[in-house]
Amino acid sequence: MKNIINYEESLNILNNFFLEEKIKEKIFLTNAMGRILANDVIASENSPAYVTSGMDGYAIKSEDQKLSSLKIIDKNPAGNVVESKVESGTCIKTFTGSLMPEGSNSLIPVENVEVIGDCIKINQTVPKGFAVRDIGENYKENEVLIKKGTQIGFAEIGVMASLNISQVSVYSQVVVSIASTGSEILDIGEVQTNKSQIRSSNHLTVEALAKKAGARTIQMGTIKDDMDSITQMMKTALNNSDIVVTTGGVSKGDYDFVQDVVKEKLGAEVLFHGVTIKPGGPILIAKKDNKLIISLPGFAYSSTVCAILYLLPMIYKYEGSTKKLPIVKAKINQDFPMKMKKTVFTACNVKYEDGQYSIDFEGKKQGTSAILTNLLGSPALLIQAKDSDDIKAGDLVDILLLNELN
């Protein structure tokens, strides 16, 4: 392991991180929203299984539209099987979802005809096969309708319900424990006793990101800069979760104990410590058995960006999901020079107009990696690769859409 690696190398390490077979569980379909499907959903039958009507009208032989009138011989409500057959010169009133009567090949809508006694007069003709749903129009028997790894949404629930699936196999939720370290930080509700103390938001921001990604979270709160306290917190978290996330204490200061705990007290294998990115260079990621430890920098913007870049993809990996970070092309409105040989993630505003994303930096503040307010509004991250050229106004650039994270 190198001391400091580049962003691409860090991603490759995590992409190759081996996970044991994921745990599956069966849950009721009504509770499956947002979960990750563990098996392919395969159609057990054709839908529709029979030729059916797509609207209210009259089932006819298409060639009979040249006749002056057709006799209504029966009525065919949905849910019934009509015994009558459509023969030349006749029609059967048929409703949406009804089986098409034997002998018919088209359905003429009610608004296209005039009813005169027990006959219809056709005022506007339709093509052959109009409003007729063929066998398998929706899906065919043995067709893979939903692939495993799909996040279940309303459409997936609807399709599975149509297949009479009451219980669905999903991957068990990833459990993520989160804590912020630092003797200077205060949790929500704690009273400030001296002016050097600051309010921690990191542990709550990271928890929100993890929940949005589908994880179950354990909030460990704020932990003082003390080897024993951090060690005990880490051991408890590892016993109860798949991923442990800490913020703060990963640099080389006198009170940065997280790295010592990970390396010495826990005996974890450090995958990397230090990446040539901005923000978040001191990030440390280690593994302990099949558990992952992600130790983020303490500044709010740094910890949030690194959680997006590293924690979210690992949640996707643990949960067996096919989800990926939403990276798209956008047009930039100003020159943006490359200032350092690092992969740089810069907060910007994004909008979508005329089929294209565009970004600007209006209202974004310059300063340290502590400015979390730069992620308010309609935010994205401009991605500048470590070896990229200076960006010119009007160029297409890579951005990460923060409001599209899932």
Side-chain angles (χ1 to χ4, degrees):
M1 184 200 74
K2 299 181 192 176
N3 288 331
I4 298 179
I5 61 176
N6 64 45
Y7 180 55
E8 291 73 21
E9 289 174 313
S10 71
L11 294 184
N12 286 335
I13 289 171
L14 293 182
N15 286 338
N16 292 323
F17 178 70
F18 174 76
L19 288 177
E20 295 175 0
E21 186 174 357
K22 302 168 193 69
I23 298 172
K24 300 176 183 179
E25 59 182 334
K26 277 201 167 185
I27 60 175
F28 286 108
L29 181 62
T30 50
N31 297 327
M33 189 72 174
R35 299 293 295 274
I36 304 300
L37 192 64
N39 295 318
D40 290 342
V41 172
I42 300 172
S44 56
E45 60 185 6
N46 293 317
S47 175
Y50 304 95
V51 180
T52 59
S53 166
M55 59 172 54
D56 293 349
Y58 293 86
I60 63 171
K61 291 181 179 290
S62 179
E63 57 271 24
D64 280 357
Q65 292 182 88
K66 63 181 183 293
L67 301 177
S68 59
S69 68
L70 300 175
K71 185 175 182 181
I72 305 168
I73 62 169
D74 208 340
K75 187 178 288 189
N76 181 23
N80 286 3
V81 178
V82 70
E83 298 291 337
S84 304
K85 301 178 183 178
V86 173
E87 297 176 344
S88 183
T90 68
C91 65
I92 294 177
K93 189 169 187 181
T94 298
F95 298 85
T96 305
S98 299
L99 300 182
M100 288 294 290
E102 187 178 341
S104 64
N105 59 18
S106 299
L107 188 108
I108 191 159
V110 291
E111 57 267 28
N112 287 24
V113 306
E114 179 183 352
V115 179
I116 303 172
D118 61 355
C119 293
I120 61 168
K121 176 185 175 184
I122 298 174
N123 296 322
Q124 185 177 345
T125 60
V126 295
K128 183 177 180 180
F130 184 82
V132 175
R133 298 188 65 213
D134 289 330
I135 293 171
E137 177 194 70
N138 193 14
Y139 49 76
K140 297 185 183 301
E141 186 178 0
N142 296 323
E143 181 181 347
V144 176
L145 301 180
I146 313 170
K147 292 184 177 181
K148 71 176 181 178
T150 299
Q151 184 174 23
I152 298 170
F154 66 88
E156 287 76 14
I157 286 176
V159 168
M160 286 188 281
S162 74
L163 292 168
N164 196 31
I165 296 173
S166 60
Q167 290 189 313
V168 57
S169 181
V170 297
Y171 290 116
S172 295
Q173 282 181 289
V174 186
V175 181
V176 180
S177 290
I178 306 114
S180 288
T181 68
S183 296
E184 79 283 10
I185 59 174
L186 299 173
D187 207 342
I188 288 180
E190 285 191 273
V191 177
Q192 186 178 29
T193 58
N194 69 66
K195 62 184 180 181
S196 72
Q197 294 172 320
I198 58 174
R199 191 71 57 188
S200 174
S201 62
N202 292 345
H203 57 305
L204 300 175
T205 306
V206 172
E207 181 178 22
L209 283 167
K211 283 182 174 179
K212 188 171 178 61
R216 186 161 62 84
T217 59
I218 300 174
Q219 182 55 255
M220 308 294 287
T222 57
I223 310 296
K224 301 304 179 187
D225 282 324
D226 171 81
M227 285 277 283
D228 291 339
S229 299
I230 296 172
T231 300
Q232 186 55 51
M233 178 275 295
M234 285 274 207
K235 287 180 176 179
T236 301
L238 284 168
N239 283 336
N240 293 293
S241 52
D242 303 298
I243 303 175
V244 179
V245 183
T246 64
T247 71
V250 290
S251 294
K252 300 186 183 299
D254 291 346
Y255 297 97
D256 291 329
F257 295 129
V258 169
Q259 59 180 319
D260 298 325
V261 170
V262 171
K263 296 173 185 177
E264 298 170 15
K265 299 293 186 179
L266 301 178
E269 178 188 347
V270 176
L271 300 179
F272 53 83
H273 186 190
V275 181
T276 54
I277 59 174
K278 182 176 175 60
I283 184 171
L284 182 154
I285 297 187
K287 69 174 182 177
K288 176 69 173 175
D289 301 321
N290 203 44
K291 310 291 183 74
L292 202 64
I293 300 167
I294 301 178
S295 294
L296 307 172
F299 273 148
Y301 179 73
S302 292
S303 67
T304 302
V305 170
C306 285
I308 292 166
L309 299 178
Y310 291 103
L311 171 62
L312 296 193
M314 293 312 293
I315 290 175
Y316 304 157
K317 188 178 181 75
Y318 269 89
E319 70 185 4
S321 170
T322 57
K323 295 185 291 186
K324 295 185 182 300
L325 294 179
I327 297 174
V328 299
K329 293 288 186 183
K331 184 178 287 188
I332 192 168
N333 77 328
Q334 68 180 59
D335 293 348
F336 210 86
M338 190 66 184
K339 298 177 181 178
M340 59 192 72
K341 289 295 182 181
K342 294 183 178 182
T343 302
V344 181
F345 299 88
T346 306
C348 58
N349 308 302
V350 62
K351 59 184 176 181
Y352 186 78
E353 292 179 338
D354 300 324
Q356 185 176 58
Y357 289 100
S358 61
I359 61 169
D360 63 60
F361 301 88
E362 184 178 350
K364 298 305 180 191
K365 298 174 182 177
Q366 302 292 318
T368 68
S369 296
I371 307 174
L372 188 60
T373 53
N374 275 347
L375 299 183
L376 296 174
S378 298
L381 294 176
L382 167 64
I383 305 171
Q384 290 175 282
K386 68 181 188 306
D387 52 0
S388 66
D389 297 326
D390 290 344
I391 296 171
K392 303 296 183 185
D395 282 352
L396 285 178
V397 294
D398 288 325
I399 63 168
L400 199 166
L401 298 170
L402 299 185
N403 284 343
E404 298 296 323
L405 294 171
N406 58 18

